[in-house]
Amino acid sequence: MNMREKIQTAAARYPDQRSAIMPALLIAQKEHGHLPGPVLEEIADILDVERIWVYELATFYTLFHTEPVGMFHLQLCDNVSCMLRGAEDLLEHLEVVLGIKKGDTTPDGLFTLTTVECLGACEVAPVMQVGDDYHGDLNIARIDALLDRLRAVVGQATGAGIAAVAPPGE
Amino acid sequence: MFEPVLLRNVDVPDGHLLATYRASGGYQALAKALDEHTPDEIIDLVKASNLRGRGGAGFPTGLKWSFVPKRAGKPKYLCCNADEGEPGTFKDRIIMERDPHQLIEGMAISAYAIGAETAYVYIRGEYTLAIQRLEQAIAEAHAQGYLGARIQGSDFNFVVHIHCGAGAYICGEETAMLDSLEGKRAQPRLKPPFPAVEGLYASPTVVNNVETLACVPHIVARGADWFRDIGPDKSPGPKLYCLSGQVRKPGLYELPMGISLRELVEDRAGGPLPGRKIKAVIPGGVSAPLIPAHGLDVGMDFDSLAAAGSMLGSAGVIVIDDSTCMVKVATRIIEFFHHESCGKCTPCREGLNWVVKVLRRIEAGQGAPGDLEQLEALCKGIFGNTFCALGDGAAMGLRAALVHFKHEFVAHIEERRCPYH
């Protein structure tokens, strides 16, 4: 299915097309990596809804990115449970080894580093989400091993999508 | 010995598959409900069980269902709130990942009781595995006639759709979640009208938490008396407790409602990390005011914790030890609420902004005399003056830290540094 068909299939679940904006944004973001203006306008056209409705959701909810993110989006939880298990040290380490500050993307476009609110996996704190995968019980050695795996994946991947080369869980 | 009910399948291999669920007695309660009970009888049964909402508010579930008008002239909806965002909480994720049919069966029985033919599960977008497992379980349940038209030969039709959230804590508030489902920014609605009368698409709607719905098949199968006999009479049942933070055995524990916080933390979860002492425990996610170490002999149920000045909330139990700076914890909690404030009302949006600024400067050793009075004044301006409970939760949490650990705040200001650095 192309993006339009996926969005139309999702829209059939609701009596009101406006409800399908959020699913449409998630579908479009999976397709494009982020949500630039023209994509938002395409969604409005597909669903035949006001453009402002699409824009306001894309900018209200934190999972939507209107700016490009790196191939691997490192989302480190630093909420209380993870903070109590050393998330701050992990953030500092990631900033040093990646050579960027949180919120930034490495110049090669591989990694974007952000901190996020509770990921709901506090039993294995500290936790980081990379793409669709959760990585728990993290420490500096495991973070280094994870970064090595991600870099190796890029080395091997030739034309494969990120989903197809998702790193194994911890 | 308490026998786990809600978690009975979570450690079973393939616990997420229909075959496993059925082998553990799954879907017999749905058949029983459809064969032997009218919808009103199911509502009465759940009322008699004293089941109270596990999302945090503790509202009686059967009573909530009974507010749905019998003849609405509109479709009715059941919404499952699976947007689990309260920091320190992960119980709903584990149910959906490892035993999703338990939730589906609970939803089917609940929908039958209120007369809904459509349900939406509003689930966190981050919960990829839970979403996959729930999608798979819904497809399996359809194929076996537990969802769809004329379920198990009855006249009851019911479908479940998944709706992925996109990162907004405020969706824990049920009317904000409904606005989000309608494709709007998630902001709470003015009540009344309550969702039971005018909810999703202005139709009668019940919003229940995952764990609440997961309790329903067991109540139908084993009876209201069985449920009420577990834990305190007014706040009974099996309960999922999420243990995290500075504790030896973090994890999800199923134990009776009302178990003592001390037993939960010190015995079940193994107590503090080696060489450390417990300083405080947050009993119900960061919205719940912390309890200092000397107050751990309190029952983990809605009424006992309310009497102790805190709340059960989502039962996200976060353990904090003596290596941790309480100003830092308080700052991080308020930063969270400030980030998640939906922006609708001024006391929460602006008030929390100021609270964060004052807390950050105290933690950085730049606090001024009068800052603590300033914080209290800000709490007073927020508490009770906000549109929903988000601002209240923030103010209550901060006040508890200020009351029980005032000396740490004072030390930061007087020494002009964080004593823990």
Side-chain angles (χ1 to χ4, degrees), chain B residues 115-185:
Chain B
E117 295 196 340
T118 306
Y120 293 97
V121 182
Y122 191 107
I123 180 169
R124 283 190 74 157
E126 295 94 329
Y127 280 1
T128 313
L129 180 61
I131 293 165
Q132 284 170 3
R133 292 266 168 93
L134 199 56
E135 275 173 351
Q136 185 187 358
I138 289 170
E140 271 193 305
H142 258 284
Q144 295 295 319
Y146 296 117
L147 290 175
R150 304 186 59 82
I151 291 171
Q152 301 295 298
S154 71
D155 291 332
F156 174 53
N157 310 313
F158 180 55
V159 292
V160 177
H161 299 296
I162 292 178
H163 185 94
C164 292
Y169 169 73
I170 191 65
C171 287
E173 204 282 341
E174 61 180 10
T175 63
M177 192 205 77
L178 294 175
D179 263 19
S180 182
L181 246 174
E182 290 181 2
K184 301 166 187 165
R185 284 175 291 157

Side-chain angles (χ1 to χ4, degrees), chain B residues 335-395:
Chain B
E335 283 173 344
F336 166 75
F337 284 115
H338 174 234
H339 180 257
E340 296 298 336
S341 174
C342 78
K344 181 162 180 156
C345 68
T346 312
C348 175
R349 183 187 65 239
E350 302 298 324
L352 292 175
N353 186 37
W354 282 106
V355 175
V356 165
K357 283 181 179 166
V358 175
L359 283 171
R360 280 182 181 158
R361 82 171 174 236
I362 294 174
E363 172 64 4
Q366 292 155 8
D371 271 357
L372 298 189
E373 291 73 19
Q374 179 75 40
L375 286 175
E376 177 47 37
L378 285 163
C379 284
K380 202 175 160 197
I382 296 168
F383 188 81
N385 297 320
T386 56
F387 211 86
C388 76
L390 189 149
D392 287 346

